[in-house]
Structures are given as structure tokens and as C-alpha cells.
């Protein structure tokens, strides 16, 4: 759809239309945009009308929200990457694992944990909201808060589970620190001792 047709349908100036496209990261190619992009602009314009704000004010609000999202993303860091996490913890890439090996089976479990985590998060969110609503509406009795429902109780329980899991299942092969796995670091070091031995063995022959 060309810009002239778009602004006629939306009944806004071309300058406002271009400003909206820039705020929505919509590319204008050959003085036209696709139908999907036009729908996005139309939704934005209608939202401004419903809120009784100008296009300029709507764009300012959109830019502010985008900046807040970027700030939050920087604070939270990059998204979790399971392959990089596995490589950092185990010391080898998932692509290098042998089918049927212990670490291969462990990686397959971690893949399943992603879908389990998504379901668990949805359940946790719903249960949290329902419980919070119940507490606000009905209150709570002191006797209903036991040790495992307090923050300290959770920390104690999680520490016990992690300790048993590490000692009885994983052993010492897991890198629990945030730096590079020692096996990966060792593999990148050059073989200086062998080079030195070669030099010492050839030096007498050179003297002869």
C-alpha cells in the first residue's frame, strides 16, 4: 500500500504516518508499506484516538515504553542459552556427545526440562495469583504458615536438595562456578613442555 492511500484511509498527515512507522520500526520501501505494517499503524492511530491523545504524545509514550523494555533487558542480561550453559558446566559441546553416554542422556533431560519449566512457570504464575487473591480477600491464619512456607524455609529446603543432588548424583564433574570449565581452559593451552624437550634434544646435534 502506498503512503498516499494509507494516510487518506487513516486521515492523518504524511509526516505523522512516517513518524509512527519510525517508532514502530516499520520500513518504508518505494514509498509503500505492506498490509501487515499498515494494520500496525492503524492500531496505533486508533489507540491514540481512544485515549484522546495526539499522535505526537502517543509516539512519545511508545518510545518511553521501548526504552524501559531495553533497560530491563540490560538489567536482566541475555536470555538463557541451554547449549552454552551445558558447555560451561560440563566442558564439552552438546554436538560432541556420544549417543548413549551419561552426558548425552543428561543433555536430553535438560532439553525436556525446558518444556517442563514453561509448564511449571504457567502453573506457578496462576497458583501465585490465585493464592494472592485469596490472601487479600480472606486473609490468613498464623498456623497456616509453616517452616517450608517461609523464605528461610524455602532456602533451607533448596540447599538440602542441591547438596544431595550434587554429592549423590553428579559427583565432581560439574563446573559449579561461572567461569570457563577447567577442561575447556586446559585444552586451549599450548604444549610448551613438549616443545622444550624437542629443543633440548636437538641442541647437542647442532653443536656437533
Amino acid at each position: 500500500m502506498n503512503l498516499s492511500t494509507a494516510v487518506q484511509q487513516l486521515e492523518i498527515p504524511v509526516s505523522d504516518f512516517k513518524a509512527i512507522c519510525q517508532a514502530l520500526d516499520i520500513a518504508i520501501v518505494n514509498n509503500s508499506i505492506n498490509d501487515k505494517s499498515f494494520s500496525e499503524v492503524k492500531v496505533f492511530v486508533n489507540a491514540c484516538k481512544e485515549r484522546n491523545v495526539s499522535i505526537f504524545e502517543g509516539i512519545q509514550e511508545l518510545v518511553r515504553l521501548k526504552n524501559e523494555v531495553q533497560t530491563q533487558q540490560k538489567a536482566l542480561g541475555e536470555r538463557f542459552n541451554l547449549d552454552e550453559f551445558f558447555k560451561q558446566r560440563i566442558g564439552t559441546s552438546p554436538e560432541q556427545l556420544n549417543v548413549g553416554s551419561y552426558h548425552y542422556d543428561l543433555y536430553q533431560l535438560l532439553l525436556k526440562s525446558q518444556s517442563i519449566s514453561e509448564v511449571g512457570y504457567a502453573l506457578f504464575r496462576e497458583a501465585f495469583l490465585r493464592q494472592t487473591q485469596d490472601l487479600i480477600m480472606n486473609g490468613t491464619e498464623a498456623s497456616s504458615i509453616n517452616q517450608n512456607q517461609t523464605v528461610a524455609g524455602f532456602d533451607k529446603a533448596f540447599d538440602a536438595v542441591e547438596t544431595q543432588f550434587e554429592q549423590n548424583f553428579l559427583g565432581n564433574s560439574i563446573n559449579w562456578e561461572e567461569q570457563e570449565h577447567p577442561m575447556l581452559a586446559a585444552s586451549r593451552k599450548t604444549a610448551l613442555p613438549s616443545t622444550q624437550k624437542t629443543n633440548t634434544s636437538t641442541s647437542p646435534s647442532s653443536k656437533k
Side-chain angles (χ1 to χ4, degrees):
M1 178 181 293
N2 58 60
L3 296 190
S4 59
T5 303
V7 296
Q8 286 179 2
Q9 292 189 16
L10 297 176
E11 298 180 347
I12 61 174
V14 177
S15 58
D16 285 352
F17 187 89
K18 291 182 177 180
I20 296 172
C21 289
Q22 183 177 1
L24 295 176
D25 297 324
I26 295 175
I28 299 176
V29 181
N30 296 328
N31 210 34
S32 301
I33 60 173
N34 56 41
D35 293 340
K36 181 180 178 181
S37 297
F38 174 76
S39 297
E40 294 179 7
V41 175
K42 185 177 181 180
V43 169
F44 179 84
V45 173
N46 291 337
C48 291
K49 292 180 179 178
E50 291 176 359
R51 296 179 57 185
N52 197 26
V53 298
S54 65
I55 298 296
F56 177 76
E57 291 173 332
I59 292 176
Q60 282 188 320
E61 179 67 11
L62 178 62
V63 172
R64 185 186 66 80
L65 293 175
K66 290 173 64 175
N67 290 335
E68 286 185 0
V69 171
Q70 292 176 356
T71 301
Q72 290 177 357
Q73 288 178 342
K74 290 180 180 179
L76 294 174
E78 298 294 331
R79 291 187 62 87
F80 176 72
N81 187 303
L82 179 59
D83 288 354
E84 290 299 323
F85 172 80
F86 187 88
K87 183 177 180 181
Q88 188 271 333
R89 287 291 192 264
I90 302 301
T92 183
S93 298
E95 297 83 5
Q96 299 174 341
L97 299 175
N98 295 323
V99 178
S101 66
Y102 163 73
H103 285 151
Y104 177 86
D105 293 339
L106 178 61
Y107 180 70
Q108 298 305 310
L109 290 174
L110 292 177
L111 288 177
K112 293 179 181 179
S113 73
Q114 287 184 315
S115 58
I116 294 174
S117 297
E118 292 177 359
V119 176
Y121 168 72
L123 289 174
F124 171 81
R125 181 179 59 182
E126 182 179 0
F128 173 79
L129 292 175
R130 289 176 180 270
Q131 290 172 2
T132 302
Q133 181 182 15
D134 182 65
L135 288 174
I136 292 174
M137 300 300 295
N138 304 319
T140 180
E141 298 179 0
S143 59
S144 67
I145 303 178
N146 57 46
Q147 181 184 11
N148 288 333
Q149 289 179 320
T150 63
V151 174
F154 276 123
D155 290 341
K156 184 178 180 180
F158 285 142
D159 289 341
V161 170
E162 288 181 353
T163 300
Q164 292 297 321
F165 187 73
E166 179 180 355
Q167 292 178 352
N168 300 332
F169 183 65
L170 295 178
N172 298 320
S173 64
I174 304 298
N175 175 31
W176 293 112
E177 305 297 332
E178 293 299 327
Q179 68 268 19
E180 188 178 39
H181 195 285
M183 290 179 60
L184 292 175
S187 65
R188 289 189 174 87
K189 293 182 180 178
T190 56
L192 293 178
S194 61
T195 305
Q196 292 175 355
K197 289 182 181 179
T198 304
N199 293 337
T200 54
S201 61
T202 54
S203 56
S205 61
S206 60
K207 290 182 180 179
K208 293 179 180 181

